[in-house]
Structure formats: C-alpha cells, structure tokens
C-alpha cells in the first residue's frame, strides 16, 4: 500500500505526549508564505492542531501504528503532528507551494535525530480523486481542516464526502459552528456516518491573512467534529 512503514512507530513515538509539548513543537511549523485566496488557505494554528491531535491520541483511536490521511494538508501541521505521535501519514493538497513547505516542515519539526517521520505528501485535487486512488488511500483515520466554504459554498461538505469514502474508523474535521445542525443531519442522513459528535468548540483566530480582512484578527467559532464510520 501507499503508507510508508517506519521505525519510529514502534513505541518510541510521541504517544502520550503532553499537550503543551506538542503545541510547542508545532509552534515552529512554517505557514503559507503567500496564501492563495481562492483555496481559502489558512494555516491550522499550532494550539488548534495540538488540541485536535491530543484529543484523537488520548480519547479516541490514538495514532500509534494507525494509518492517517490528511485531506487538504496545506503546510502540514496536522499530518506531521500525527506522524510525531506514531501515525503512518499521507497528506494531500492541490497546491505545489503548500506541499513544498510541508516537506520542509517534516524535516524541521522531527524531534528525532536518527528516525524519519512516517509522512508522505501527494499533490492532488481532493475533490477529483479517482475511485482507484480513494481505494488505495483507505486509512483508519482521515483528518481535514477543509476550506470553510466562505469563498466556494459547500466545499467543506465535499471534503467530508471524500473523507467518508477513505476512512475505515473515523473522520475528524473542522467546520463553522454556525453550520452545526446542518452538518449533523447531512453526516448521518446523506453521508451515512454512524455517529457525528462535536468533540470541542474552538475559537479559530484568523490573523489578517488577506487584504479583504478588515480586522487585524478575526475570531471564528469552529466545531471540531468526530464522525464515526
């Protein structure tokens, strides 16, 4: 299969790593240099990435020896964090520049000197994955911090649909709190998940990434969801 097998995952990994240690590691994750507005590129903030990873690692499947796909991985914070915690990870993004940064981040964020992190990146359009590719990517967990659909409506639900075809255990994703009841219904009725639960409410502090943002920093209320396959 496409998932690399690496030495780190054999119990040496950061399983059980404390939240603040994870957060300080991810603090060094290099963000997008020139975010592309049409892709709604926002770097997953270190504290949010750390919270998500810590919750999955401690309250749900855990990452040790788990296969993970990060859809729309961007600069790679979630996927790399999952690899640090022992996962075998593939990150997918449409953007070459994002993948180049993610590949640098893999090297920079690796806490081990003599072991590579178990993570690879693939350039592909998440919304146009061929059925064969979806089949090959089958993984225990899919994580996605999708575009919130403020520029292209409904794109976050499209990401969720793809995720539902890849994950064999659970999908974790972020969506605007304002869409909560719609997402709950859609996930269960249309996408056929067994369970849909909001694990946490997060405040997503968007720095003034784009010129059209009026305020220096906008807080968006975001739900961190777990969808059980």
């Amino acid at each position: 299969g496409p998932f690399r097998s690496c030495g780190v995952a054999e119990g040496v990994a950061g399983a059980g790593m404390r939240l603040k240690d994870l957060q300080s590691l991810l603090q060094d994750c290099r963000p997008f240099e020139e975010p592309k507005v049409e892709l709604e590129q926002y770097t997953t903030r270190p504290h949010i990435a750390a919270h998500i990873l810590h919750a999955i690692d401690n309250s749900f499947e855990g990452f040790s020896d788990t296969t993970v796909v990060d859809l729309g991985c961007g600069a790679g914070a979630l996927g790399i964090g999952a690899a640090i915690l022992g996962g075998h990870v593939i990150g997918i993004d449409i953007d070459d520049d994002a993948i180049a940064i993610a590949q640098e981040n893999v090297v920079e964020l690796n806490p081990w000197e003599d072991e590579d992190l178990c993570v690879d990146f693939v350039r592909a359009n998440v919304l146009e994955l061929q059925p064969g590719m979806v089949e090959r990517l089958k993984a225990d967990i899919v994580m996605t911090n999708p575009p919130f659909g403020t520029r292209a409506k409904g794109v976050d639900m499209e990401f969720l649909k793809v995720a539902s075809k890849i994950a064999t255990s659970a999908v974790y994703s972020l969506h605007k709190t304002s869409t909560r009841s719609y997402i709950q219904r859609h996930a269960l009725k249309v996408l056929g998940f067994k369970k849909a639960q909001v694990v946490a409410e997060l405040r997503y502090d968007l720095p003034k990434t784009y010129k059209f943002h009026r305020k220096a920093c906008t807080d968006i209320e975001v739900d961190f969801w777990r969808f059980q396959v």
Side-chain angles (χ1 to χ4, degrees):
F3 293 92
R4 202 202 291 214
S5 59
C6 316
V8 175
E10 310 313 315
V12 197
M17 187 179 276
R18 288 182 327 191
L19 181 61
K20 66 177 209 291
D21 296 336
L22 192 55
Q23 189 168 328
S24 69
L25 259 178
L26 294 176
Q27 214 70 50
D28 298 328
C29 193
R30 229 182 86 200
F32 296 107
E33 282 175 356
E34 293 175 5
K36 299 178 173 64
V37 68
E38 70 281 6
L39 298 177
E40 287 192 59
Q41 286 179 331
Y42 302 109
T43 299
T44 307
R45 318 288 282 157
H47 70 279
I48 286 192
H51 266 96
I52 289 172
L53 293 161
H54 193 259
I56 298 171
D57 205 39
N58 287 278
S59 308
F60 300 105
E61 288 81 2
F63 288 109
S64 189
D65 270 341
T66 304
T67 49
V68 181
V69 169
D70 181 359
L71 288 182
C73 60
L78 282 174
I80 295 167
I84 289 170
L85 295 169
H88 302 253
V89 183
I90 292 179
I92 299 177
D93 204 280
I94 195 173
D95 183 31
D96 281 321
D97 296 333
I99 284 182
I101 293 173
Q103 278 161 341
E104 278 178 40
N105 279 331
V106 173
V107 178
E108 289 299 312
L109 300 180
N110 186 354
W112 295 280
E113 286 181 8
D114 49 356
E115 296 279 7
D116 287 340
L117 287 177
C118 216
V119 56
D120 288 302
F121 294 101
V122 176
R123 191 194 160 278
N125 182 346
V126 168
L127 304 182
E128 290 174 10
L129 294 179
Q130 299 302 317
M133 175 77 155
V134 169
E135 205 45 51
R136 283 188 65 221
L137 282 172
K138 285 272 188 214
D140 303 312
I141 293 174
V142 174
M143 300 185 299
T144 181
N145 178 6
F148 290 141
T150 40
R151 307 287 290 181
K153 203 162 164 45
V155 70
D156 60 330
M157 300 315 280
E158 289 297 317
F159 266 66
L160 195 55
K161 182 180 179 179
V162 175
S164 73
K165 294 176 181 165
I166 295 174
T168 58
S169 179
V171 173
Y172 295 90
S173 65
L174 295 173
H175 301 271
K176 282 182 173 173
T177 302
S178 57
T179 59
R180 184 181 294 178
S181 56
Y182 168 71
I183 285 174
Q184 175 90 33
R185 211 167 49 240
H186 190 84
L188 299 172
K189 297 255 171 24
V190 181
L191 300 180
F193 285 110
K194 288 202 182 90
K195 251 166 75 181
Q197 69 182 112
V198 174
V199 178
E201 283 183 44
L202 303 167
R203 301 201 60 81
Y204 206 102
D205 52 321
L206 289 180
K208 187 174 176 348
T209 319
Y210 302 114
K211 299 209 169 44
F212 61 79
H213 287 166
R214 291 193 193 83
K215 300 193 187 101
C217 192
T218 320
D219 260 5
I220 298 186
E221 288 180 355
V222 171
D223 289 340
F224 164 39
W225 284 86
R226 178 179 192 270
F227 302 98
Q228 192 169 322
V229 178

